[in-house]
């Protein structure tokens, strides 16, 4: 990790002023840069007080425990720092906190006020999304992280039955004086346009957007399921599932998952197409979670889907049929495709080699398949290939 420049620290200090969770006096803004001694540090997560959630004055473990979040989706605090020592991880299989090597999972870490803490009731659970943060902090990848003092940045929520931090987008290794800082995006207080109007702006050539506007949508792609060819790819739909759009971010999505309602700034983003699929290319820092929502898939026949695929692209649908395939499992070492067949009609279903369910056996008999509609048309071809791509095995009933 790279050290931050003096200019960057000046920006962070200003951010801390504007994003503090409560009003503070000027004297309260006097904090230390990373790596300098904190006069309030007594091993309880970085400070004797509860902290403010800022980088300079992160919440202590005691403060997060006192927040006592009860929801896994509605945050008690958003965009805050907390500090503690890595003392293990929560094993979802055994429902226990693992505190001894060898460690086998990187999905989360447990942190506490003391590196020697063994009482799980005095720990909080930290989500480690796919990407750089998981690689940096995960115990399976780096066993030496055990006992390290770290700061993490995200939302205070209930996670794995513990008070914790989810949607983690930044961290800081205290001893190494290095880490990843939260991204800084633009101003979201701008006019909103709907996704259908945005899609209509594309006319067979790239469009660089210049207006200060935003769109709002609900994520229908599944980061955890992994059925995608790139972590930069994501799909959002309008809240009524009337239309949607594929996103191709400038960085890996390690945060947004199914049901997250997000805003996306359009200025400087690019509308383009890949094999006939309209996509928006925004910067990750110009996206923001504003809530959660549930998208109800449109129940439709395969025949109706094929006839209306361009209008239904990037929405969630449910079709009924039987899987026909030359394979016996959903995926393998390479990408695979199968057919969902109903009478004389069929639709392709694609499974990435990165899908978490790729080794599971294909279902037999008639099933209802819920998935994201894709419409592919290779350059120079007039033939459109329709796909309904499931996100995980819960999409099959």
């Amino acid at each position: 990790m790279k050290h931050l420049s003096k200019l960057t620290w000046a920006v962070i200090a200003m951010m801390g002023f504007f994003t503090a969770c409560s009003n503070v006096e000027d004297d309260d803004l006097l904090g230390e840069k990373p790596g300098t001694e904190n006069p309030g540090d007594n091993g309880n997560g970085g400070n004797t007080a509860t902290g403010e959630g800022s980088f300079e004055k992160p919440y202590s473990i005691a403060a997060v425990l006192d927040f006592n979040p009860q929801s896994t989706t509605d945050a008690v605090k958003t965009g805050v720092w907390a500090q503690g020592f890595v003392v293990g991880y929560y094993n979802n299989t055994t429902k226990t906190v693992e505190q001894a090597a060898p460690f086998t999972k990187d999905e989360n870490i447990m942190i506490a006020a003391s590196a020697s803490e063994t009482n799980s009731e005095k720990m909080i659970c930290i989500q480690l999304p796919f990407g750089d943060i998981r690689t940096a902090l995960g115990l399976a990848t780096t066993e030496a992280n055990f006992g390290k003092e770290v700061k993490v940045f995200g939302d205070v929520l209930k996670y794995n039955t513990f008070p914790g931090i989810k949607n983690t987008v930044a961290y800081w290794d205290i001893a190494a004086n290095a880490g990843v800082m939260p991204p800084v995006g633009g101003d979201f207080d701008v006019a909103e346009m709907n996704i259908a109007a945005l899609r209509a702006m594309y006319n067979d050539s790239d469009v660089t957007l210049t207006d200060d506007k935003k769109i709002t949508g609900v994520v229908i792609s599944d980061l955890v399921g992994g059925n995608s060819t790139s972590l930069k790819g994501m799909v959002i739909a309008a809240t009524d599932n009337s239309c949607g759009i594929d996103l191709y971010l400038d960085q890996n999505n390690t945060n947004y998952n199914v049901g997250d309602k997000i805003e996306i700034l359009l200025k400087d983003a690019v509308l383009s197409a890949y094999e006939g699929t309209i996509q928006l290319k925004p910067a990750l820092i110009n996206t923001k979670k504003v809530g959660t929502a549930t998208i109800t898939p449109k129940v439709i026949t395969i025949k109706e889907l094929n006839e209306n695929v361009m209008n239904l692209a990037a929405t969630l649908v449910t079709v009924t049929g039987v899987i026909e395939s030359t394979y016996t499992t959903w995926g393998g070492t390479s990408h695979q495709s199968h057919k969902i067949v109903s009478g004389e009609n069929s639709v392709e279903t694609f499974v990435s080699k990165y899908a978490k369910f790729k080794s599971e056996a294909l279902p037999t008999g008639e099933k209802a398949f819920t998935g994201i509609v894709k419409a592919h048309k290779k350059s120079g071809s007039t033939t459109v290939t329709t796909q309904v791509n499931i996100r995980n095995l819960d999409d099959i009933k």
Side-chain angles (χ1 to χ4, degrees), residues 27 58 63 146 170 175 188-189 248 329 360:
D27 288 344
F146 189 85
F188 286 82
D189 188 19
Y248 191 76
T329 60
E360 298 294 328

Side-chain angles (χ1 to χ4, degrees), residues 48-364:
T48 54
T50 58
E52 298 169 350
S54 65
F55 186 89
E56 292 80 8
K57 296 183 179 181
Y59 284 127
S60 66
I61 300 299
V64 178
L65 291 172
D66 285 345
F67 287 139
N68 192 27
Q70 297 299 304
S71 173
T72 60
T73 57
D74 296 325
V76 175
K77 298 287 184 180
T78 59
V80 296
W81 287 94
Q83 184 169 335
F85 293 88
V86 179
V87 293
Y89 75 95
Y90 182 74
N91 189 322
N92 267 303
T93 303
T94 62
K95 308 301 181 186
T96 58
V97 175
E98 302 288 345
Q99 293 191 274
F103 301 108
T104 58
K105 295 186 178 181
D106 280 333
E107 287 87 348
N108 68 78
I109 53 173
M110 304 295 292
I111 66 174
S114 166
S116 59
E117 184 62 70
T118 58
N119 184 350
S120 63
E121 293 183 357
K122 296 182 180 181
M123 303 174 187
I124 66 175
C125 193
I126 312 301
Q127 182 184 42
L128 302 181
F130 290 104
D132 294 343
I133 294 175
R134 177 176 290 189
T135 300
L137 296 182
L139 286 170
T141 297
T142 309
E143 186 179 304
N145 284 333
F146 189 85
K148 280 188 177 181
E149 188 174 19
V150 297
K151 297 180 184 181
V152 291
F153 181 88
D155 304 332
V156 179
L157 287 152
K158 189 175 184 178
Y159 179 51
N160 283 333
T161 74
F162 294 88
I165 301 292
K166 293 182 67 177
N167 307 320
T168 313
V169 295
Y171 79 95
W172 199 257
D173 183 325
I174 304 300
N177 191 27
V180 171
M181 296 302 294
V184 181
D187 180 8
F188 286 82
D189 188 19
V190 295
E192 184 174 335
M193 72 184 303
N194 61 49
I195 296 174
L198 175 65
R199 289 180 62 96
M201 294 177 65
Y202 182 76
N203 189 24
D204 295 328
S205 61
D206 288 2
V207 179
T208 299
L209 304 171
T210 58
D211 290 342
D212 279 319
K213 293 183 178 180
K214 65 184 178 185
I215 58 171
T216 301
V218 181
V219 178
I220 58 175
S221 50
D222 181 10
L223 176 64
V224 177
N227 192 17
S228 173
T229 57
S230 172
L231 285 174
K232 293 181 179 180
M234 190 165 67
V235 187
I236 63 170
T239 53
D240 63 357
N241 198 34
S242 59
C243 60
I245 193 165
D246 283 64
L247 304 180
Y248 191 76
L249 304 163
D250 64 340
Q251 300 177 48
N252 287 346
N253 166 37
T254 60
N255 191 27
Y256 298 128
N257 213 327
V258 177
D260 286 343
K261 187 175 183 180
I262 65 173
E263 292 179 345
I264 302 169
L265 296 180
L266 298 178
K267 187 175 182 181
D268 297 325
V270 177
L271 267 179
S272 64
Y274 176 73
E275 292 189 348
T277 298
I278 297 176
Q279 62 182 9
L280 177 69
K281 296 181 176 181
L284 181 63
I285 61 172
N286 288 328
T287 66
K288 180 179 74 171
K289 181 178 175 179
V290 293
T292 58
T294 300
I295 296 294
T296 302
K298 181 178 294 185
V299 179
I300 192 171
T301 66
I302 293 176
K303 182 176 184 295
E304 292 169 330
L305 172 60
N306 287 329
E307 291 172 349
N308 296 278
V309 61
M310 300 310 293
N311 293 326
L312 292 168
T315 64
L316 203 61
V317 303
T318 299
V319 297
T320 300
V322 177
I323 288 284
E324 290 186 1
S325 179
T326 57
Y327 304 99
T328 58
T329 60
W330 280 105
T333 56
S334 60
H335 306 320
Q336 292 183 180
S337 292
H338 318 281
K339 282 186 178 181
I340 304 173
V341 179
S342 178
E344 297 178 351
N345 302 287
S346 66
V347 63
E348 187 177 282
T349 184
F350 169 85
V351 179
S352 163
K353 64 181 179 181
Y354 306 113
K356 295 297 185 293
F357 57 90
K358 66 180 183 180
S359 61
E360 298 294 328
L362 291 170
T364 58

Side-chain angles (χ1 to χ4, degrees), residues 370-383:
T370 295
I372 300 170
V373 177
K374 298 283 187 176
H376 290 294
K377 184 173 64 175
K378 292 188 180 297
S379 179
S381 173
T382 58
T383 302

